[in-house]
Amino acid sequence: MTEWIDVCGADDLQPDSGVCALVQGQQVAIFYMPKESALFAVGNYDPIGQANVLSRGMIGDINGRIVVASPLYKQHFDLQTGVCVEDAAVSVPVYPIRIENGRVAVGIGG
């Protein structure tokens, strides 16, 4: 069963950019794309650069996949699956996320 953790207000999100939230001891990168009505949550830890930096990466599109580019070595992580575009053996965790009553919640477990 998914436990929803309240992390911030919807107005705390940065359009077309990322923010980081601490969710049960884990850093989670949250990306908000208002024009597409898209909201994504992935682990903030870049396994290639070995640092918590993905929330500071640039978001974009590669062949129809919405991705974040790590600010360290520029690998791209698919925001829907967490898989690295350049090396499919590498991935970051993805989390369910929603906005309800003006609050952002990240799903854990389930």
Side-chain angles (χ1 to χ4, degrees), residues 5-67:
I5 308 297
D6 181 86
V7 294
C8 65
D11 56 348
D12 292 323
L13 299 176
Q14 298 297 311
D16 302 310
S17 187
V19 296
C20 184
L22 191 61
V23 181
Q24 292 191 333
Q26 297 295 317
Q27 289 190 28
V28 176
I30 299 171
F31 299 94
Y32 177 50
M33 300 170 69
K35 292 177 188 168
E36 294 83 359
S37 297
L39 187 63
F40 302 96
V42 299
N44 193 42
Y45 185 76
D46 174 354
I48 296 171
Q50 299 183 348
N52 287 301
V53 296
L54 291 181
S55 65
R56 296 186 176 266
M58 291 180 56
I59 54 177
D61 178 302
I62 295 180
N63 298 325
R65 297 167 72 181
I66 300 172
V67 298

